Amino acid sequence: MKFGMDTAVHGLSLIRSMWESRTEKSQQTESVTMKLENKLDVPVYDLSLIRGMWETRVNKHKKRQRKEQERLAKSALQRVNQQWQYRIACRKMKSSEMTELQHYLERSSLREVTIEPYLEPTEGQTTEPVDSTVLEVEEKRFIFELNGDKWTEVPASLFEMTHLREWHISRTKIIKIPEFIAMFQDMRVLDIPKNCIDKLPPEIGKLTKLRELNVSYNRLSDIPPELGDCENLERLELTSNLNLMELPFELSNLKKLVHLDLAENKFIGIPICVLRMSSLQWLDFSNNKLKDLPQDIDRLEELTTLFIHKNKLTYLPMSMANMTTLTTIVTTGDDLVSMPSKLVDNPAMKFIRLFENPVGEETAELENKGDAEQTGPDHSEKEFLQTYINSLKERETAPTYATKVSLSCVL
């Protein structure tokens, strides 16, 4: 009887321990489930809030990029990168182009040449003159020269020579001036005549130190308005571009321009911007299609020399008598029937009237045929007139018999 009771008590204890074990496991399972549910409890926001957060992050990223770009622009990394780009460009060049570039670098290298600064001599010391060859080499260091019809484009290696102050490019087949010309902030002279250039890049307006621009005997049909930003320009030559017939009004800003040559083009009138170039002294509108001159041409108060021959002018405006600085006028006398008497009778005025020579026209055409492609049909005539005008200017006043001149010559 006792043995049976012990067995029953033992069985109950086993059942209770098993129940407690299951209960504990169940509690642990519920705890894990609750934790998983808490982890998976992700909040859901409105899409507009998410977009706002994203745009804020994008704006902050852009600000960091701008700051980084400004930092790189001020650091030396950009110059180092330019040097590497220069080396890469040299490796891509042809052997002939590399030879030309090497020749230029050897000519303009100054690594072994130093110029001592001038110091005032102290007592007992004498000054030695600076070698002129050293000064000449120093000047050539800033000059780039290129000619020959084998060139069809500006060498890419020029991109790394932003220290240059003068370009002299002539008699090539170059059609386009590269946009990287804007990097040449020290440019003073851009001499590019007798090429095949059909358009000037707008970036030329970045050359604020430019003083001379010669694009004569090319194929320009228009001038970029940005050229008016070259406020220090003193000399502009656009001779014989054939299709050029207008100038942008923005060129009125060229207040320091002294010399303007627009000969051998297709202008039917003097542009308004020319009349606003207040410092203009030399103006050449010869061999165009002018039928008359503007009545307010006397706004050019500094003008001394005016070339208007080989046009279709029949009279000169009376306002020209008010131009007190004007000392030389060259016109065509065949059609000119009316002019201010004050200009003709002034003994200090070199008033030159040119008459056509029908007999010599064929001879002139044959003589200029060989050079017409590069220099234009009236190149020899311009040289003759300039020589003649210079000889007249050497005299203080024109003699009485030279006040009115008629020339019969082969033009």
Side-chain angles (χ1 to χ4, degrees):
M1 186 69 180
K2 184 179 180 181
F3 177 76
M5 290 294 291
D6 292 340
T7 303
V9 171
H10 181 68
L12 289 173
S13 64
L14 288 175
I15 293 171
R16 185 177 63 184
S17 63
M18 291 174 63
W19 177 257
E20 291 177 352
S21 176
R22 290 181 179 179
T23 303
E24 185 178 355
K25 288 182 179 180
S26 177
Q27 290 177 353
Q28 290 179 355
T29 303
E30 290 178 357
S31 176
V32 172
T33 303
M34 290 178 65
K35 290 181 179 179
L36 290 174
E37 289 177 353
N38 291 333
K39 289 184 178 179
L40 295 175
D41 188 13
V42 179
V44 178
Y45 295 97
D46 189 1
L47 290 178
S48 62
L49 295 177
I50 297 176
R51 185 178 62 184
M53 294 172 60
W54 179 254
E55 290 178 349
T56 302
R57 293 180 180 180
V58 170
N59 291 334
K60 289 182 178 180
H61 179 68
K62 289 183 178 180
K63 287 182 180 179
R64 286 196 295 268
Q65 283 185 330
R66 282 198 297 268
K67 289 182 179 179
E68 181 66 14
Q69 290 176 356
E70 292 175 357
R71 186 185 66 81
L72 292 176
K74 295 179 181 179
S75 67
L77 292 178
Q78 187 174 5
R79 292 191 294 271
V80 173
N81 182 51
Q82 289 180 356
Q83 292 294 332
W84 277 108
Q85 293 297 331
Y86 169 68
R87 295 183 181 183
I88 294 172
C90 288
R91 289 184 177 274
K92 294 181 179 179
M93 292 177 64
K94 299 179 182 179
S95 58
S96 58
E97 295 177 349
M98 191 65 188
T99 302
E100 291 289 338
L101 177 60
Q102 188 65 27
H103 174 70
Y104 168 75
L105 292 176
E106 290 176 355
R107 177 182 65 85
S108 61
S109 178
L110 285 178
R111 295 178 180 176
E112 300 178 357
V113 180
T114 57
I115 301 178
E116 296 294 335
Y118 175 78
L119 298 176
E120 290 292 338
T122 57
E123 294 184 2
Q125 292 183 345
T126 57
T127 58
E128 296 182 0
V130 180
D131 190 355
S132 60
T133 57
V134 175
L135 294 177
E136 183 178 355
V137 174
E138 169 68 15
E139 290 297 326
K140 287 185 178 180
R141 178 181 178 229
F142 301 101
I143 300 175
F144 175 76
E145 297 178 354
L146 186 68
N147 58 72
D149 56 5
K150 63 181 180 180
W151 295 98
T152 58
E153 60 182 10
V154 177
S157 57
L158 200 61
F159 174 81
E160 304 298 333
M161 304 179 186
T162 56
H163 65 280
L164 295 174
R165 297 178 183 174
E166 296 185 15
W167 282 15
H168 296 272
I169 303 176
S170 63
R171 300 182 184 276
T172 69
K173 293 183 180 180
I174 294 176
I175 299 176
K176 181 181 179 182
I177 297 298
E179 297 176 355
F180 64 72
I181 193 174
M183 300 180 61
F184 292 76
Q185 292 297 308
D186 292 329
M187 183 79 74
R188 303 291 196 279
V189 177
L190 185 56
D191 185 35
I192 48 176
K194 303 175 184 177
N195 298 290
C196 300
I197 300 171
D198 58 3
K199 190 174 183 180
L200 292 176
E203 288 76 10
I204 197 173
K206 302 292 184 181
L207 307 179
T208 56
K209 296 182 180 179
L210 189 65
R211 295 181 180 176
E212 297 183 17
L213 175 60
N214 184 1
V215 204
S216 298
Y217 304 105
N218 280 283
R219 301 175 181 177
L220 298 178
S221 58
D222 55 22
I223 303 297
E226 289 79 4
L227 183 61
D229 296 332
C230 300
E231 54 187 15
N232 290 307
L233 196 63
E234 298 176 358
R235 187 182 183 95
L236 178 59
E237 298 186 37
L238 300 170
T239 306
S240 190
N241 278 281
L242 301 181
N243 293 323
L244 191 61
M245 61 180 62
E246 189 56 67
L247 295 180
F249 181 78
E250 286 78 4
L251 266 61
S252 302
N253 298 326
L254 302 179
K255 302 300 183 181
K256 296 183 179 180
L257 195 68
V258 175
H259 183 109
L260 178 60
D261 193 340
L262 296 170
E264 302 172 31
N265 290 298
K266 294 183 179 180
F267 286 92
I268 60 176
I270 295 182
I272 298 176
C273 62
V274 175
L275 300 177
R276 300 197 174 192
M277 299 174 181
S278 54
S279 299
L280 202 60
Q281 297 180 12
W282 177 290
L283 179 59
D284 191 344
F285 260 101
S286 61
N287 200 6
N288 278 277
K289 297 183 178 181
L290 300 180
K291 294 182 179 180
D292 54 24
L293 297 179
Q295 296 296 328
D296 57 345
I297 192 173
D298 56 344
R299 296 180 60 174
L300 300 175
E301 298 178 352
E302 302 292 331
L303 193 66
T304 61
T305 305
L306 177 62
F307 290 87
I308 48 176
H309 58 283
K310 283 204 169 185
N311 282 288
K312 300 179 180 180
L313 298 174
T314 57
Y315 72 96
L316 299 181
M318 296 298 297
S319 58
M320 292 186 66
N322 302 326
M323 305 174 69
T324 57
T325 59
L326 193 60
T327 58
T328 304
I329 304 176
V330 182
T331 66
T332 299
D334 296 85
D335 300 324
L336 197 61
V337 296
S338 177
M339 65 201 76
S341 58
K342 185 177 179 180
L343 295 178
V344 181
D345 298 334
N346 186 0
M349 174 72 68
K350 286 85 173 178
F351 192 92
I352 304 171
R353 296 177 63 187
L354 301 178
F355 291 85
E356 296 290 345
N357 186 1
V359 177
E361 286 183 355
E362 183 177 356
T363 305
E365 183 178 355
L366 292 174
E367 289 178 351
N368 292 325
K369 186 176 181 180
D371 298 331
E373 185 174 337
Q374 290 291 339
T375 62
D378 296 328
H379 183 65
S380 58
E381 175 192 349
K382 287 180 68 70
E383 291 182 350
F384 163 74
L385 286 176
Q386 289 179 358
T387 303
Y388 180 75
I389 297 301
N390 290 334
S391 65
L392 286 181
K393 286 184 176 180
E394 293 178 357
R395 312 174 187 176
E396 294 182 359
T397 58
T400 304
Y401 58 84
T403 301
K404 183 177 179 181
V405 180
S406 298
L407 296 177
S408 295
C409 56
V410 178
L411 299 181

